[in-house]
Amino acid sequence: MHRFKEVLDNRHEYAKNWKARTGGKVLGYFEPYTPEEVIYAASALPVRLLSRHEPDDMTDRNIYASCACARDIVNQVALGRFDYVDGITYAEACQWMRHAFISSQYFQSFSYTCDIFVPDYVDGHRSKDVMYSEMKAFKKSLEEWTSNTITDEALDHAIDVYNTNRRLMRQIYELRRADNPIVSGAEAMEMVLASQVMDKEDHNRMLQEVLKELPRRSHAGYPGPRLMLVGSPTSDANLERLVEELGAVVVIDELCTGSCYFWNEVIPQEDRLLALSLRYLGKPHCALKDNNWRRRPAHILQLYEDFNAQGVIIAKQIYCHPHGTDNPHIWKILRERIYPFHFLERDTTVPEREMKTRLEAFINLVEPVRVKLRG
Ligand code: SF4
């Protein structure tokens, strides 16, 4: 299990070794609407640029008052941490990430940059055509950049590898529906984060090994109040670890770096690019894309009930406008169902003692409810 955290902690080394091993290019991406299968089919490695939450004294001069995630990615680029990244692409979602995409180009010259327009109304009747034309343009630009032709066979292989990864991650998450789940929230989050910085075939192999090992695990699982994590994207499992040190267990999340990243598969069809367009438009909505037909609240409630959660932690990055504007609606649906929740804000660094006290109080609040329910 620890291998996923090792890769995550040493993700730059992993990518550099991959380049040395394959001679391929690394394409960095900022948002989960990036059609990775097309990049993979071009024999390039898609790597999500994840923040490291390191305080810095530089970014505020370049990316005014944005969220910690976006600021820190620019800081990592400026520090040369992504020097192995040959190109970057931004699939339209959050404006702070757009800032990070643009500002990163002041600190590092990339041989390829691509801006993919993803409709905000992902369910709109025109969105399929827009995404499809963007997908075709993206494919063409990647073929020119890599000098590799992206064939239907290469797309089929990429779709198969990615769907296998999604299916294996769903298997891991299914294990968390059990009482005293055998996989902790921190472990599951490190697995899905590692998948966003690794070659999916390597990640699939590791997942298959772990799924064989898990039934032989010595300990009896993770007891305690069952909590759900909702909110802004995260790039580590520190919050899950803190919650689980306090005696609770995180059984499910609705994060764009978590379950939302792999929840739905590509449904193969003759036109591969159309199949991919529908998959990315159809993924669980992030707060920014949940406009016309509100799907996110129902999805959150479905996960809460399916994973038998007993409380929700809503963790928002400071200055995170998408979740800031959506939270009141999420609070309302949770209140209507009398589902306990705790709202907290995070910045680059987390005041651990204060966070611990607040989380402990919330967990103590949920515990009696849980005991009474178990009766
Ligand atoms: S969604 Fe929130 S956390 Fe993510 S980049 Fe945008 S503002 Fe930052």
Side-chain angles (χ1 to χ4, degrees), residues 26-308:
V26 170
L27 183 56
Y29 69 91
F30 294 78
E31 290 285 5
Y33 284 93
T34 306
E36 293 180 57
E37 290 89 339
V38 187
I39 304 169
Y40 202 75
S43 303
L45 178 69
V47 165
R48 189 166 185 172
L49 304 184
L50 296 171
S51 62
R52 265 216 189 276
H53 296 296
E54 283 177 19
D56 75 280
D57 63 353
M58 178 278 293
T59 48
D60 276 351
R61 289 196 294 276
N62 292 283
I63 184 172
Y64 179 69
S66 86
C67 73
C69 293
R71 270 205 322 267
D72 187 65
I73 290 172
V74 177
N75 183 41
Q76 301 287 316
V77 173
L79 292 169
R81 301 268 169 75
F82 290 119
D83 56 2
Y84 57 89
V85 174
D86 304 291
I88 50 173
T89 181
Y90 168 76
E92 177 71 28
C94 172
Q95 289 316 304
W96 287 138
M97 270 309 174
R98 172 180 284 286
H99 270 275
F101 169 66
I102 295 164
S103 301
S104 298
Q105 297 168 51
Y106 296 136
F107 297 99
Q108 184 171 334
S109 65
F110 299 98
S111 60
Y112 173 87
T113 60
C114 182
D115 193 333
I116 305 169
F117 178 71
V118 181
D120 278 350
Y121 291 92
V122 284
D123 302 323
H125 67 283
R126 302 266 314 121
S127 60
K128 176 169 57 51
D129 306 331
V130 173
M131 192 69 182
Y132 184 46
S133 67
E134 288 292 306
M135 199 69 81
K136 285 192 278 187
F138 184 50
K139 173 177 176 281
K140 190 163 173 299
S141 68
L142 282 175
E143 287 175 326
E144 284 155 12
W145 179 53
T146 60
S147 311
N148 294 330
T149 305
I150 300 175
T151 62
D152 281 352
E153 291 67 36
L155 281 170
D156 289 346
H157 172 68
I159 288 170
D160 181 47
V161 169
Y162 273 70
N163 274 352
T164 302
N165 190 259
R166 292 168 183 136
R167 226 166 285 140
L168 292 168
M169 279 309 306
R170 287 291 296 254
Q171 273 182 261
I172 295 284
Y173 268 53
E174 280 302 299
L175 295 169
R176 300 163 72 193
R177 295 177 71 170
D179 286 352
N180 305 346
I182 201 78
V183 178
S184 74
E187 290 167 336
M189 184 50 72
E190 276 150 5
M191 279 189 211
V192 62
L193 286 169
S195 78
Q196 296 166 64
V197 295
M198 286 180 75
D199 185 318
K200 285 290 190 292
E201 286 186 279
D202 292 350
H203 195 261
N204 285 348
R205 272 189 291 277
M206 284 166 73
L207 284 176
Q208 277 146 353
E209 284 161 23
V210 157
L211 282 164
K212 281 200 208 97
E213 286 164 17
L214 276 171
R216 295 194 297 273
R217 261 199 145 168
S218 55
H219 68 69
Y222 296 88
R226 300 168 64 86
L227 299 180
M228 176 177 187
L229 191 53
V230 165
S232 308
T234 180
S235 53
D236 57 49
N238 295 349
L239 181 57
E240 287 88 342
R241 195 156 272 112
L242 184 57
V243 168
E244 289 170 347
E245 277 162 17
L246 293 169
V249 59
V250 177
V251 290
I252 186 65
D253 68 83
E254 182 266 354
L255 304 181
C256 90
T257 39
S259 70
C260 296
Y261 173 71
F262 63 84
W263 210 247
N264 66 318
E265 292 187 24
V266 178
I267 299 166
Q269 57 172 283
E270 185 54 31
D271 187 328
R272 280 81 173 173
L273 295 184
L274 182 59
L276 286 165
S277 305
L278 295 172
R279 187 267 163 189
Y280 282 92
L281 289 173
K283 64 191 286 301
H285 289 185
C286 83
L288 257 166
K289 304 281 184 190
D290 201 37
N291 300 309
N292 260 6
W293 296 267
R294 303 280 285 152
R295 296 254 184 98
R296 191 168 171 244
H299 182 60
I300 289 172
L301 292 175
Q302 175 92 42
L303 291 176
Y304 185 97
E305 283 138 22
D306 284 355
F307 284 76
N308 192 18

